[in-house]
Amino acid sequence: MIKAVMMLNTQGKPRLAKFYDYLPVEKQQELIRGVFSVLCSRPENVSNFLEIDSLFGPDSRLVYKHYATLYFVLVFDGSENELAMLDLIQVLVETLDKCFSNVCELDIVFNYSKMHAVLDEIVFGGQVLETSSAEVMKAVEEISKLEAASNSISLVPKSVSGWRGR
Amino acid sequence: MEQLKTIGRELAMGSQGGFGQSKEFLDLVKSIGEARSKAEEDRIVLSEVDILKRRLLEPDIPKRKMKEYIIRLVYIEMLGHDASFGYIHAVKMTHDDNLLLKRTGYLAVTLFLNEDHDLIILIVNTIQKDLRSDNYLVVCAALNAICRLINEETIPAVLPQVVELLNHQKEAVRKKAIMALHRFHRKSPSSVSHLVSNFRKRLCDNDPGVMGATLCPLFDLISEDVNSYKDLVSSFVSILKQVTERRLPKSYDYHQMPAPFIQIKLLKIMALLGSGDKNASDIMSMVLGDLFRKCDSSTNIGNAILYECIRCISCILPNPKLLEAAADAISKFLKSDSHNLKYMGIDGLGRLIKISPDIAEQHQLAVIDCLEDPDDTLKRKTFELLYKMTKSSNVEVIVDRMIDYMISINDNHYKTEIASRCVELAEQFAPSNQWFIQIMNKVFEHAGDLVNIKVAHNLMRLIAEGFGEDDDDADSKLRLSAVESYLQLISEPKLPSLFLQVISWVLGEYGTADGKYSASYISGKLCDVADAYSSDETVKGYAVSALMKIYAFEIASGRKVDVLPECQSLIEELLASHSTDLQQRAYELQALLALDARAVETILPLDASCEDIEVDKDLSFLNGYIQQAIESGAQPYISERERSGMFETTDYHPQDHHEVPTHALRFEAYELPKPSVPPQASNELVPVPEPSYYSESHQPISTSLVSERESSEIKLRLDGVKQKWGRPSYQSTTAASSTTPQAANGISTHSDAGVGSSSSKPRSSYEPKKPEIDPEKQRLAASLFGGSSSRTDKRSSSGGHKPAKGTANKTATVPKENQTPVQPPPDLLDFGEPTATTVTAMDPFKELEGLMDSSSQDGGSSDVMGLYSDAAPVTTTTSVDSLLSELSDSSKGNSRTYQPQTSKGPNTKEALEKDALVRQMGVNPTSQNPTLFKDLLG
């Protein structure tokens, strides 16, 4: 099972973090910091795998990939294959690249909800759901199409009074 | 005017479909990106929190604004600040009819809340309603939320609908429904145990995606109970066969491999099913053999499948042909330049070695290369392999290596692990007890605070019991050598507490045993220990007890005891100690010093630590005395219980306080409000529902939700909910506690400290490829691997020097070295030839170039994409240091599998557009923050 997906920039700022088991915010921050400090101490041209029991409990592995200013990180347990996880990162990046046409860090920051939509199509509740980036794209496009449609309708707010809550 | 501008910008952004956020949000992100310290970032975020708190209180927030606020809340929480003040707004947003808002709401809620949060109760109804929606995207969003938000208690509320969705016409929904069901199974297997047959059914789904998703729950189910799924073996095999024969739609191809992720999952399942099952293994062997032949080992994903095959083969009943193929694949991995593949190779080797132990020998040099690699992950994996292949012939070399590594790292967690492995191996394979003690000393010296206290007790017992045979001479030699080594070590500064305890105990018990050291010498040392570690009461206690023993032995043997002045002052100090334990020991010592030899001998006999002490709980030796007392008129003893007259209490059992909650949650709609109740003022906008509308019991009370949202007393109502239905706090720990480190018991403590270990290693001078193989390395290889097959050969050698690097500093302390069975080989060529291959002599980059050339020549059949992460020249170009450049570079190399755009290379037009857009929004790159905008502005 996949335990967490993270995107950190090279300064250690989280750009996206998703944990598939609930963790309190402080714990999440601790883990993000821990992961980053491990990652930035890795020399270049070494393997992309890490055993990370010290942070995530026994039998936890981590696969990361460094793209430009971003680290893509997957944390998972022994029931997944490291090389396959590395390719899952590749799938994710390819999909994002198709999605934003030449993805960069800014896209990820500003399209937070879309990022999650893409991720949710690929990893679902900690399991790999879909690995064909074409399929993922299809689903995401359909979502944004429908969202855009419903959005244009609601450009004129139906009832502002509905929000007069307090 | 300012507002108009903003609106204009928003419209402009909206039309471009780009950043749908306001300038405020962009500014926030920008300023956080520019923050140079954590404190500055915190300040920015806290002011943002203030802003949002105020904004959320404003009346009439337009929905789009609200959506942005919620995204900002999520962002704040991702940066580690509390956003709980806005949770309720996210919950409200899930009720919205607008798909975009609803999805945003669900997203925020899944990120904010855990399954036991009080607000979940407000969402369950929405989820129920959405699961029945006609719009499949709404259903998907709801299923997504289910995975995170539903706990054991709420599963029944959504279960029937999820099961229904298993037959939904859209494959995306079926897929997610399966996953949701899987999640339920993980959370509470009993709640869905009657539904597992559905997974089997879905395995035959028409859509490969759904079938692939089904493999996840099946994997879990099969690992729990293999036997009830044996009938599926042939189905899995035939699915795998179809996949490899490319019967799936092209869209499932990934880097020209047909559905590799499905293949991997299938192989994992087959490994489970085939282990120890002749029939299943036979069925699988065909398809496994095919896979080996078909797998393209030039891509990352192809190697992933190969590795999975190796794993599968190592699990099922061994088949010589397959084992051979697996060994070939492993040797390819090990010879590769990629660290990732080496890692997989080492891992695979560790698996196969259990089946055919000889396989390691042909890869010895590769393994040793990995052991000296600068990559920490690889090194650790290699140590794991060594740990697995340790036998009595190579234990010394391996443990020495492990200890050297253990000393070099700072990562306490891994230090603990490797220390316990050293101890385990030493206990299991120790060639001699002296060696064992040396190793234990090293472990204690360098990781003493991390090892389990049991290890210390074992060591003490070993020293006390000796070999276990009746060889008293050897035992006393062992003890003497232990005492000598401890006397040497004792003056070292800062020894771990546990080690000092062992030292004190051994010195007390055996320090003066054979008369080599005088009592005053040993007691002086012990006093030094107690002095130097005056804050450690346990060590002090051990030291005082040791002193007591030494004086007792002296007294018993009839010698005159003169207590050293420093010892005297120690005793006096401890007599007034705050610790009652230390005080008692001091008093005992003082009392003992005043006793005569005979009494002392009975209290503390020499070398009696192994004698069993029988405790007479009935105090029967007092019987005579009691009898005497009663005869002389004393009252017989009445037990305390009888005295207080509480005979009945024996039957008393503490009452079971675990009260079963009498009212579980209700998910059905509540009964109709009585029509006579007059509608409340705040409900004006909602028409009073027709009674017939509620006739179906499962219908969610949508209208009441609406009214709730509109109610002006929302806060009050919430509180009511909290009190009435909120879960008792003692139940709310389940999910989190399983992953949080347990800080309780010694050896399994996970420590977060000192993760950055690899940087401090003095390995910088390491060269990945050496033109010739270091003879030292070969010797090491020989001592590691040569144990079994060519032993006679090595025995005849006379060059009795161990591999210098690892053990040179230790040779003096390792006794009986010349008799150790493992000796370096006389003839280096023996080992040099097979693996002093051309590969090692080649320049890795040249090799890579060769690879790339060949791939482009033969029409791109081998995939450069998988390789490009290793291709240093691509990644190190700093001028176009961006995601897009990398991706497009690789797409150039491999236009077949990956061609998202019509134009190749960095898409300058788009980048310019983005640039313009950003400038228009007033976000300009600044010199302090080059990285954030580098991508855009190149």
Side-chain angles (χ1 to χ4, degrees):
Chain A
M1 176 183 162
I2 294 172
K3 295 183 180 176
V5 179
M6 297 178 208
M7 295 177 199
L8 312 173
N9 75 358
T10 38
Q11 295 155 326
K13 293 206 169 77
R15 288 311 185 194
L16 181 134
K18 187 152 184 157
F19 294 84
Y20 288 95
D21 284 318
Y22 176 79
L23 293 171
V25 183
E26 304 80 46
K27 181 75 191 157
Q28 293 185 7
Q29 288 302 306
E30 193 190 314
L31 290 176
I32 290 173
R33 275 197 300 275
V35 166
F36 178 70
S37 71
V38 177
L39 288 188
C40 60
S41 70
R42 303 268 299 165
E44 273 183 52
N45 297 324
V46 294
S47 65
N48 303 70
F49 311 139
L50 273 172
E51 270 157 45
I52 193 142
D53 308 19
S54 52
L55 289 175
F56 285 86
D59 198 25
S60 314
R61 297 108 188 265
L62 179 152
V63 162
Y64 71 97
K65 211 160 182 184
H66 188 175
Y67 288 98
T69 57
L70 281 177
Y71 285 112
F72 284 71
V73 180
L74 282 182
V75 183
F76 51 92
D77 65 11
S79 65
E80 309 284 346
N81 176 320
E82 280 97 338
L83 284 172
M85 287 296 117
L86 196 58
D87 266 295
L88 195 68
I89 294 180
Q90 181 71 21
V91 171
L92 177 63
V93 175
E94 274 179 31
T95 314
L96 291 180
D97 198 56
K98 285 179 195 171
C99 215
F100 298 112
S101 52
N102 290 326
V103 66
C104 70
E105 192 178 336
L106 269 188
D107 289 319
I108 290 167
V109 176
F110 291 127
N111 295 285
Y112 201 75
S113 50
K114 195 162 187 184
M115 288 295 303
H116 275 282
V118 171
L119 190 58
D120 284 346
E121 287 301 318
I122 296 176
V123 181
F124 188 88
Q127 301 290 336
V128 181
L129 177 71
E130 182 58 72
T131 48
S132 143
S133 77
E135 293 284 319
V136 176
M137 276 309 292
K138 227 166 49 188
V140 173
E141 263 162 23
E142 223 161 320
I143 290 169
S144 30
K145 221 187 292 166
L146 269 168
E147 277 183 353
S150 64
N151 204 25
S152 62
I153 296 166
S154 71
L155 266 181
V156 186
K158 261 187 276 180
S159 61
V160 178
S161 60
W163 289 93
R164 192 184 283 138
R166 29 191 79 232
Chain B
M1 191 61 205
E2 189 56 42
Q3 253 185 337
L4 269 180
K5 253 189 204 161
T6 327
I7 291 169
R9 266 191 206 125
E10 272 183 10
L11 281 177
M13 283 183 285
S15 65
Q16 299 217 5
F19 316 131
Q21 280 84 17
S22 67
K23 176 153 182 331
E24 243 178 16
F25 182 55
L26 294 179
D27 284 344
L28 171 71
V29 174
K30 186 181 155 222
S31 55
I32 287 174
E34 283 169 6
R36 260 165 290 169
S37 67
K38 182 76 185 144
E40 197 182 339
E41 187 188 302
D42 284 349
R43 196 174 46 74
I44 296 167
V45 175
L46 284 177
S47 75
E48 169 73 6
V49 168
D50 276 348
I51 294 172
L52 282 178
K53 268 187 186 156
R54 252 183 292 122
R55 290 286 164 77
L56 286 172
L57 286 176
E58 284 170 13
D60 294 344
I61 306 170
K63 290 189 180 186
R64 286 189 57 191
K65 262 258 159 356
M66 195 59 173
K67 172 179 168 266
E68 192 198 299
Y69 291 157
I70 288 192
I71 294 286
R72 278 155 76 171
L73 284 173
V74 174
Y75 195 72
I76 286 171
E77 192 151 295
M78 188 178 72
L79 293 171
H81 293 262
D82 179 40
S84 55
F85 61 90
Y87 287 180
I88 185 67
H89 296 279
V91 171
K92 275 202 271 177
M93 192 159 266
T94 61
H95 305 328
D96 203 284
D97 292 330
N98 181 322
L99 179 66
L100 180 61
L101 296 182
K102 189 186 262 307
R103 285 182 56 92
T104 309
Y106 271 132
L107 169 68
V109 166
T110 50
L111 291 171
F112 285 152
L113 305 183
N114 68 341
E115 56 191 31
D116 296 325
H117 198 279
D118 291 333
L119 293 177
I120 295 291
I121 196 73
L122 298 179
I123 301 172
V124 171
N125 255 318
T126 322
I127 290 179
Q128 281 185 325
K129 193 183 76 186
D130 288 343
L131 285 177
R132 254 185 252 113
S133 163
D134 294 334
N135 186 340
Y136 83 98
L137 287 173
V138 173
V139 179
C140 283
L143 282 171
N144 222 342
I146 279 178
C147 277
R148 184 58 178 271
L149 301 178
I150 295 293
N151 64 11
E152 213 176 327
E153 213 170 298
T154 34
I155 284 176
V158 292
L159 190 58
Q161 288 161 28
V162 172
V163 172
E164 236 169 77
L165 290 175
L166 286 174
N167 296 312
H168 197 274
Q169 50 175 356
K170 274 277 186 188
E171 65 277 354
V173 175
R174 292 203 298 272
K175 215 155 56 176
K176 289 189 173 166
I178 285 171
M179 291 307 214
L181 212 53
H182 181 199
R183 190 79 176 174
F184 294 163
H185 177 76
R186 286 194 156 216
K187 282 212 173 116
S188 131
S190 57
S191 65
V192 292
S193 55
H194 56 291
L195 295 167
V196 288
S197 60
N198 280 299
F199 293 133
R200 279 165 178 266
K201 247 185 268 164
R202 281 299 124 213
L203 190 62
C204 314
D205 200 285
N206 292 329
D207 184 75
V210 180
M211 185 272 293
T214 319
L215 296 176
C216 298
L218 280 176
F219 176 77
D220 271 14
L221 287 169
I222 291 173
S223 46
E224 279 159 25
D225 173 21
V226 179
N227 287 325
S228 20
Y229 292 90
K230 289 283 186 194
D231 55 312
L232 287 178
V233 172
S234 52
S235 331
F236 287 129
V237 169
S238 82
I239 293 173
L240 183 57
K241 217 169 176 173
Q242 287 174 42
V243 173
T244 52
E245 283 165 4
R246 298 182 180 273
R247 302 255 190 92
L248 293 192
K250 263 272 175 262
S251 65
Y252 284 89
D253 280 13
Y254 173 81
H255 292 187
Q256 292 160 9
M257 288 299 278
F261 291 89
I262 291 180
Q263 288 190 44
I264 288 168
K265 212 73 216 182
L266 281 168
L267 284 166
K268 277 192 186 294
I269 290 176
M270 280 161 54
L272 287 176
L273 286 171
S275 80
D277 186 335
K278 179 93 178 60
N279 251 336
S281 304
D282 283 349
I283 302 173
M284 291 167 193
S285 58
M286 258 286 276
V287 72
L288 284 172
D290 280 354
L291 268 177
F292 269 117
R293 247 172 288 126
K294 280 185 189 165
C295 253
D296 171 15
S297 60
S298 61
T299 60
N300 194 25
I301 195 71
N303 286 321
I305 294 176
L306 273 180
Y307 166 75
E308 215 43 70
C309 286
I310 295 170
R311 244 187 84 144
C312 185
I313 285 166
S314 71
C315 287
I316 65 175
L317 285 185
N319 170 328
K321 248 186 162 170
L322 289 179
L323 282 178
E324 203 177 299
D328 281 353
I330 285 178
S331 71
K332 257 188 231 159
F333 283 171
L334 287 174
K335 278 177 195 151
S336 143
D337 278 329
S338 152
H339 281 87
N340 291 347
L341 290 185
K342 278 187 187 163
Y343 175 91
M344 298 318 260
I346 294 278
D347 188 87
L349 203 56
R351 288 174 192 282
L352 277 199
I353 217 164
K354 281 183 239 150
I355 304 167
S356 55
D358 313 333
I359 184 179
E361 259 165 71
Q362 35 177 316
H363 303 300
Q364 33 187 294
L365 286 173
V367 170
I368 286 162
D369 271 339
C370 292
L371 202 58
E372 277 161 18
D373 201 273
D375 184 350
D376 222 40
T377 314
L378 192 53
K379 211 182 273 178
R380 289 182 187 187
K381 197 81 201 170
T382 316
F383 274 116
E384 206 181 305
L385 171 69
L386 291 184
Y387 168 72
K388 278 181 194 158
M389 53 181 260
T390 309
K391 35 195 173 186
S392 47
S393 60
N394 58 12
V395 64
E396 288 170 72
V397 189
I398 289 178
V399 172
D400 280 348
R401 282 258 151 182
M402 279 182 159
I403 287 179
D404 283 349
Y405 181 61
M406 184 186 84
I407 294 169
S408 73
I409 56 175
N410 299 320
D411 177 350
N412 273 345
H413 176 79
Y414 193 64
K415 219 173 190 168
T416 312
E417 195 183 311
I418 203 160
S420 68
R421 281 186 170 172
C422 283
V423 170
E424 195 190 320
L425 290 178
E427 280 177 353
Q428 211 176 338
F429 296 111
S432 71
N433 277 13
Q434 272 92 346
W435 179 83
F436 180 72
I437 287 174
Q438 297 298 337
I439 293 299
M440 296 313 268
N441 287 354
K442 278 198 182 290
V443 171
F444 276 118
E445 195 181 337
H446 297 287
D449 292 327
L450 304 171
V451 295
N452 196 320
I453 193 153
K454 267 191 194 147
V455 176
H457 293 164
N458 275 348
L459 178 61
M460 289 190 243
R461 193 191 304 134
L462 180 99
I463 294 175
E465 289 178 352
F467 281 85
E469 288 117 41
D470 303 323
D471 188 356
D472 285 343
D473 196 34
D475 284 1
S476 61
K477 251 191 208 160
L478 167 77
R479 288 168 192 156
L480 182 63
S481 75
V483 168
E484 273 171 354
S485 65
Y486 290 156
L487 284 175
Q488 259 173 24
L489 281 168
I490 204 168
S491 41
E492 302 253 326
K494 288 212 171 178
L495 289 173
S497 160
L498 201 56
F499 192 31
L500 285 166
Q501 293 167 28
V502 176
I503 291 178
S504 305
W505 188 85
V506 172
L507 287 185
E509 201 75 28
Y510 303 110
T512 56
D514 62 348
K516 191 174 172 194
Y517 299 101
S518 72
S520 62
Y521 178 70
I522 303 279
S523 55
K525 288 281 183 194
L526 287 168
C527 284
D528 289 349
V529 168
D531 234 24
Y533 299 89
S534 54
S535 57
D536 190 336
E537 286 184 0
T538 328
V539 170
K540 261 168 147 180
Y542 268 85
V544 174
S545 292
L547 281 174
M548 192 163 19
K549 280 182 213 158
I550 285 177
Y551 289 134
F553 300 153
E554 287 296 291
I555 294 170
S557 62
R559 280 189 285 270
K560 171 92 181 67
V561 175
D562 32 53
V563 179
L564 295 175
E566 66 252 43
C567 187
Q568 196 61 53
S569 64
L570 175 73
I571 294 172
E572 266 153 32
E573 181 204 322
L574 293 185
L575 284 176
S577 166
H578 287 301
S579 153
T580 49
D581 176 61
L582 285 179
Q583 214 176 12
Q584 184 178 354
R585 282 173 204 261
Y587 273 111
E588 280 173 10
L589 175 54
Q590 208 179 32
L592 184 119
L593 288 173
L595 290 174
D596 64 356
R598 214 180 59 84
V600 168
E601 205 174 5
T602 339
I603 300 170
L604 282 169
L606 190 63
D607 191 18
S609 58
C610 303
E611 312 286 316
D612 289 330
I613 297 172
E614 278 182 34
V615 179
D616 187 353
K617 278 186 191 158
D618 297 335
L619 307 177
S620 57
F621 56 91
L622 287 176
N623 282 352
Y625 176 76
I626 292 169
Q627 200 59 40
Q628 218 180 351
I630 290 177
E631 273 165 17
S632 60
Q635 287 281 321
Y637 175 71
I638 304 169
S639 74
E640 194 183 350
R641 216 180 46 192
E642 288 171 55
R643 260 177 291 163
S644 52
M646 290 182 65
F647 297 97
E648 300 90 335
T649 50
T650 43
D651 301 328
Y652 176 80
H653 291 293
Q655 253 177 22
D656 197 354
H657 285 290
H658 296 279
E659 279 175 24
V660 182
T662 47
H663 51 277
L665 286 171
R666 280 183 60 170
F667 301 106
E668 280 84 35
Y670 285 96
E671 280 171 32
L672 278 180
K674 289 267 156 47
S676 61
V677 175
Q680 285 176 4
S682 62
N683 281 1
E684 273 172 353
L685 293 168
V686 184
V688 178
E690 286 291 312
S692 61
Y693 181 65
Y694 281 101
S695 57
E696 291 170 63
S697 66
H698 274 291
Q699 200 71 30
I701 31 172
S702 52
T703 35
S704 72
L705 279 173
V706 174
S707 68
E708 193 174 73
R709 196 204 298 148
E710 289 167 356
S711 160
S712 57
E713 301 172 333
I714 194 142
K715 274 248 161 107
L716 262 177
R717 281 190 177 206
L718 246 186
D719 288 347
V721 168
K722 242 181 222 169
Q723 280 166 4
K724 203 166 177 185
W725 293 311
R727 305 196 60 188
S729 58
Y730 64 85
Q731 283 181 328
S732 63
T733 53
T734 46
S737 65
S738 63
T739 46
T740 45
Q742 308 271 325
N745 50 345
I747 197 146
S748 60
T749 301
H750 305 299
S751 169
D752 297 337
V755 258
S757 59
S758 60
S759 59
S760 63
K761 226 145 286 128
R763 299 277 186 193
S764 51
S765 62
Y766 175 81
E767 295 163 42
K769 291 292 168 196
K770 290 176 187 163
E772 58 189 44
I773 290 161
D774 196 350
E776 203 174 89
K777 233 185 237 180
Q778 290 175 338
R779 265 187 242 125
L780 179 61
S783 49
L784 279 179
F785 297 92
S788 58
S789 66
S790 47
R791 185 178 296 181
T792 47
D793 216 45
K794 291 164 209 151
R795 205 174 257 276
S796 63
S797 75
S798 57
H801 288 291
K802 305 210 104 194
K805 194 171 183 183
T807 50
N809 53 352
K810 240 174 280 162
T811 42
T813 56
V814 177
K816 288 201 245 166
E817 202 196 13
N818 290 335
Q819 293 147 38
T820 47
V822 190
Q823 292 294 349
D827 189 358
L828 296 179
L829 288 175
D830 260 30
F831 291 90
E833 274 204 342
T835 24
T837 53
T838 47
V839 179
T840 48
M842 263 167 72
D843 182 279
F845 288 128
K846 268 189 192 146
E847 216 186 351
L848 190 66
E849 272 169 34
L851 255 178
M852 291 173 106
D853 281 349
S854 68
S855 68
S856 55
Q857 274 161 16
D858 59 33
S861 70
S862 65
D863 198 345
V864 190
M865 193 80 172
L867 277 172
Y868 79 88
S869 63
D870 308 316
V874 178
T875 45
T876 47
T877 49
T878 43
S879 57
V880 269
D881 192 19
S882 77
L883 279 182
L884 48 107
S885 71
E886 271 182 42
L887 276 164
S888 48
D889 268 13
S890 59
S891 73
K892 258 189 269 177
N894 186 7
S895 53
R896 248 195 196 186
T897 52
Y898 177 62
Q899 33 192 358
Q901 286 113 26
T902 44
S903 63
K904 301 265 175 73
N907 195 332
T908 43
K909 194 178 155 227
E910 290 215 26
L912 279 174
E913 270 171 19
K914 269 185 197 167
D915 180 8
L917 179 58
V918 172
R919 277 176 199 283
Q920 178 197 0
M921 286 181 299
V923 185
N924 282 316
T926 54
S927 57
Q928 294 101 328
N929 182 30
T931 38
L932 181 62
F933 292 91
K934 200 193 282 170
D935 307 330
L936 272 182
L937 310 172

